[in-house]
Amino acid sequence: MLEVNDLHVSYGAVNAVQGVSMKADAGRVTVVLGANGAGKTTSLRAIAGYHRPKSGSVTIGGQDVAGRRAHTMVRHGLVLVPEGRRVFSTLTVEENLRVGGYRAPRSRVAKTLAEVYEQFPILAERRNGAAGLLSGGEQQMLAFGRAVMSQPKVILMDEPSMGLAPTMVDTVMGKVRDIADTGIAVLIVEQNADAALRIADEVSVITRGRTVWTGPAADASLAAVHAVLGETAL
Ligand code: ATP
């Protein structure tokens, strides 16, 4: 569904990403692991159209979309859930979800909203409450639900476990698995390798701006991942 090949991204003279390749397939969870500063966020932002890549290809369903802006990417079926959730804290939960579905016809929005409430019952319970009053984990669910509202083919998530209590990390990872099981391609970047590997189908490892390993999760032994990333990263 999504294929990224030999992506290069710079900030002025800083070459933050210099050869990242990754893939996300329908119904599968791809986990991208990497230490602090490895270039994970930069890669996701470039793929999702928030930062122009210097070179490399990005295709969705075979169509080259590299360098397109974020709103165009959403039209092509790719949406990013950014690090730190970024929900609209003064809007209600439902208003946040409706923002995610702003491109869809009204009749579709009602149906998708009902599906999201079924997938995330906590959001249904809190639908009229301000998003800013939700816990960190609940806000992560909201950011996730908002992405689902755009009826994407591919969801990219930046560090969904960041700042969450361990039990909430498991809940969020469980939701990532559930959403992939509905047929969406889900690609998450994580520093929490232990939690992410539990739900991964495919794994990619980035060190210093480059993809150094890609393969099925069954072959990504935790020991190897630790060795590549360095213990301090995990
Ligand atoms: P983290 O998990 O800490 O967010 P990361 O793997 O997502 O790390 P990036 O945030 O993509 O890494 O950063 C990759 C490199 O690019 C780092 O060396 C970082 O210092 C640099 N970098 C990131 N953003 C900018 C920026 N706006 N201007 C200049 N350099 C940047």
Side-chain angles (χ1 to χ4, degrees):
M1 184 59 71
L2 170 72
E3 274 202 55
V4 177
N5 274 306
D6 202 20
L7 192 72
H8 286 62
V9 191
S10 347
Y11 299 105
V14 178
N15 295 318
V17 168
Q18 3 186 11
V20 159
S21 300
M22 52 180 80
K23 243 167 63 131
D25 292 317
R28 312 274 287 168
V29 176
T30 300
V31 169
V32 179
L33 301 169
N36 233 325
K40 305 181 299 296
T41 297
T42 302
S43 298
L44 285 198
R45 287 180 53 81
I47 295 166
Y50 292 97
H51 193 90
R52 216 184 157 78
K54 204 162 81 176
S55 61
S57 71
V58 177
T59 61
I60 300 174
Q63 191 179 358
D64 191 359
V65 291
R68 306 273 174 90
R69 303 279 202 87
H71 60 269
T72 309
M73 290 301 197
V74 174
R75 262 207 318 270
H76 284 284
L78 182 142
V79 64
L80 170 68
V81 180
E83 192 176 322
R85 283 71 91 170
R86 314 249 181 91
V87 300
F88 300 106
S89 52
T90 57
L91 299 186
T92 66
V93 166
E94 182 151 322
E95 284 164 346
N96 268 272
L97 291 173
R98 286 182 183 281
V99 170
Y102 78 105
R103 283 184 181 280
R106 259 201 169 166
S107 53
R108 279 300 310 161
V109 172
K111 185 166 179 290
T112 317
L113 192 57
E115 284 165 10
V116 168
Y117 281 148
E118 203 174 305
Q119 283 155 338
F120 301 92
I122 185 69
L123 300 182
E125 242 170 69
R126 308 289 296 272
R127 69 174 79 185
N128 296 319
L133 297 178
L134 299 177
S135 72
E138 290 162 353
Q139 287 190 19
Q140 185 64 63
M141 301 290 187
L142 177 54
F144 201 177
R146 190 175 58 188
V148 174
M149 285 297 296
S150 72
Q151 300 189 285
K153 297 183 192 127
V154 184
I155 298 181
L156 308 180
M157 294 185 92
D158 197 354
E159 304 251 6
S161 79
M162 164 104 72
L164 302 183
T167 55
M168 201 29 111
V169 171
D170 287 341
T171 307
V172 168
M173 290 299 168
K175 282 294 169 203
V176 170
R177 184 70 257 174
D178 291 348
I179 295 295
D181 289 343
T182 68
I184 296 175
V186 184
L187 184 147
I188 67 174
V189 311
E190 263 301 336
Q191 286 194 44
N192 188 340
D194 297 343
L197 285 177
R198 269 182 242 138
I199 56 148
D201 295 307
E202 306 289 332
V203 175
S204 258
V205 180
I206 300 183
T207 54
R208 278 176 247 106
R210 287 191 177 81
T211 302
V212 293
W213 192 86
T214 301
D219 295 347
S221 98
L222 200 53
V225 169
H226 277 254
V228 173
L229 297 180
E231 294 294 328
T232 51
L234 305 163

